[in-house]
Amino acid sequence: MKQYFEIIYSFFWLGCISFGGPAAHIGYFRKVFVEEKRWLDQEHYGQLVALSQFLPGPGSSQVGFSIGLHRGGLIGACLAFISFTLPSFLIMLSLAVGYQSFSNSDGFSGLLQAFKLLALVVVIDATLGMAKNFCQTKVLKAIALMTAIFLLLANFPYHQIAALVGAAIIGSLFIHHNKQETPSLKAPQTHFARPNLGLLALFFVLLAVCLYFTLNLFTGSFVAGSLVFGGGHVVLPLLEQQMTGLVTPDEFLAGYAAAQAVPGPMFTFATFLGAMAHETPWIGALIATAGIFLPGFLLVLVFHKSWRTLANHSVFSAAISSVNAAVVGLLIATCYQPVFTQAITDKLDVAFALFLFALLKVFNAHISVLVGICLLWGLLVL
């Protein structure tokens, strides 16, 4: 029982102070659970981080879930997730309720416009960073660009899923024949271990059901959470497609901007959307939050003993590399529609967006500084 209280306290405190996104969260976890508490050694922790990069889902939350699983079994994993996510969940729920209460007040439109511009800057920065990491060869760059072109022109249901599946097929058929085109996942050789086939079947059954029953908070969130390769920012375009008709474009971009400024996992963006889309905000928030996180955690339970065997298989490794390149193209397309088209209305918007981008990239300003500037800009200028 003592270990469960330790898990709750440790992860709740981290959930309150873990600003900076998934990469920063992984640093916080290492400092607390490897260096200070010594719940696991550096090698084991490195393997958990690699597993989170190998699977779709919320990377840093999957690392936290895995640490809880190691420390306290399945109960410990669930307690770690709940404790780490709860502060962010409560903040995003409160922001959604506040949005609904004050959206018609004077000055709110200026704030909304300022945060749309912040969202544009954050998406562009995420796209550039992911392109640098995942598009290091000519083939992977071509996959990213062709994916972006396809998504900008396509107009049929699940075109994003089609793009990701197509990229995986291209990678598995062609890239693995050329080892130089396949960035190594650096997984150590290990004895063969089978994945949990029962949980894997459950995952695919749930995914199939959710794909069939569209325009629903849980199903839309589950599909998005099942396809987030490459980083938390990828949840933006996936949720944008799944939440069409449930929230307005303004609500969507406001939630994404708010998610940059709160501690804890970025996936609580879905919390905001669920609260906005449901007549009872806290129920909608719970439904959407459960849907977005569940697939990633199911896959951790499926593969936590067998992932290294799969990662060392050239075909599988190439498919993952191609999907990661495709999600860069997905973000490129999203930068234009809906983010750019919703955020930029005149020359003043362009100038302010460039100013924010300069602060972020040239002067390395923290995201909280940008949030404060947007608040002032929205209230005093727009």
Side-chain angles (χ1 to χ4, degrees):
M1 185 63 69
K2 179 181 177 182
Q3 63 185 358
Y4 295 147
F5 285 111
E6 289 180 335
I7 290 172
I8 293 171
Y9 170 78
S10 299
F11 277 97
F12 181 79
W13 174 245
L14 285 171
C16 293
I17 66 169
S18 293
F19 292 89
H25 300 166
I26 289 173
Y28 286 119
F29 290 160
R30 181 184 179 280
K31 179 175 178 61
V32 171
F33 299 116
V34 177
E35 296 181 358
E36 296 178 1
K37 295 184 178 294
R38 300 185 184 277
W39 286 3
L40 63 171
D41 59 30
Q42 179 60 45
E43 181 181 0
H44 191 178
Y45 182 71
Q47 292 174 1
L48 298 184
V49 173
L51 172 62
S52 73
Q53 303 303 308
F54 172 74
L55 297 173
S60 60
S61 292
Q62 287 172 313
V63 173
F65 183 84
S66 298
I67 292 172
L69 186 66
H70 170 74
R71 183 68 175 175
L74 184 57
I75 294 176
C78 294
L79 290 175
F81 158 66
I82 293 170
S83 302
F84 183 62
T85 308
L86 184 60
S88 178
F89 173 89
L90 293 175
I91 294 171
M92 293 299 283
L93 174 59
S94 299
L95 289 173
V97 173
Y99 184 104
Q100 292 173 331
S101 300
F102 299 105
S103 59
N104 295 322
S105 63
D106 294 338
F108 187 84
S109 60
L111 284 173
L112 181 59
Q113 180 60 24
F115 280 99
K116 286 182 185 179
L117 296 170
L118 175 61
L120 174 62
V121 168
V122 171
V123 175
I124 291 174
D125 181 53
T127 304
L128 293 174
M130 292 177 63
K132 181 179 179 180
N133 291 331
F134 296 136
C135 300
Q136 298 179 0
T137 70
K138 291 182 179 179
V139 172
L140 294 175
K141 290 175 183 176
I143 290 174
L145 292 175
M146 294 305 295
T147 300
I149 293 170
F150 170 76
L151 292 173
L152 287 170
L153 298 178
N155 186 24
F156 60 88
Y158 303 121
H159 58 287
Q160 294 174 338
I161 297 175
L164 296 179
V165 172
I169 293 172
I170 291 171
S172 62
L173 291 179
F174 299 106
I175 296 179
H176 77 278
H177 295 301
N178 182 353
K179 293 183 180 180
Q180 294 181 346
E181 297 287 0
T182 308
S184 173
L185 294 178
K186 298 182 180 179
Q189 294 291 337
T190 184
H191 64 279
F192 179 75
R194 292 185 180 276
N196 188 319
L197 297 181
L199 285 177
L200 185 61
L202 174 62
F203 168 78
F204 280 113
V205 168
L206 286 173
L207 181 58
V209 170
C210 290
L211 287 170
Y212 181 78
F213 294 101
T214 57
L215 288 182
N216 175 284
L217 272 180
F218 180 82
T219 59
S221 299
F222 188 94
V223 170
S226 300
L227 300 174
V228 180
F229 285 90
H233 291 283
V234 184
V235 78
L236 171 72
L238 295 170
L239 277 175
E240 191 272 333
Q241 182 184 22
Q242 297 300 320
M243 293 293 175
T244 299
L246 296 177
V247 295
T248 68
D250 283 350
E251 293 169 347
F252 186 84
L253 290 180
Y256 180 73
Q260 314 306 313
V262 301
M266 189 180 297
F267 271 44
T268 53
F269 174 29
T271 303
F272 183 95
L273 299 180
M276 296 299 299
H278 199 280
E279 59 183 9
T280 306
W282 69 269
I283 293 178
L286 283 174
I287 292 172
T289 304
I292 199 79
F293 282 101
L294 179 59
F297 294 156
L298 274 177
L299 290 174
V300 168
L301 295 175
V302 169
F303 289 109
H304 74 282
K305 294 181 180 179
S306 61
W307 71 272
R308 288 172 289 180
T309 302
L310 292 173
N312 282 307
H313 195 289
S314 62
V315 174
F316 202 86
S317 178
I320 295 297
S321 297
S322 299
V323 170
N324 283 334
V327 299
V328 174
L330 195 153
L331 276 176
I332 292 172
T334 302
C335 278
Y336 175 72
Q337 176 66 37
V339 182
F340 182 89
T341 56
Q342 290 288 325
I344 300 297
T345 60
D346 55 31
K347 293 180 181 179
L348 186 61
D349 289 337
V350 175
F352 185 63
L354 290 173
F355 172 68
L356 291 176
F357 191 76
L359 290 177
L360 182 66
K361 300 300 292 181
V362 179
F363 298 100
N364 298 317
H366 191 271
I367 190 69
S368 60
V369 175
L370 301 187
V371 170
I373 291 173
C374 287
L375 285 171
L376 290 174
W377 178 269
L379 291 173
L380 302 177
V381 179
L382 294 177

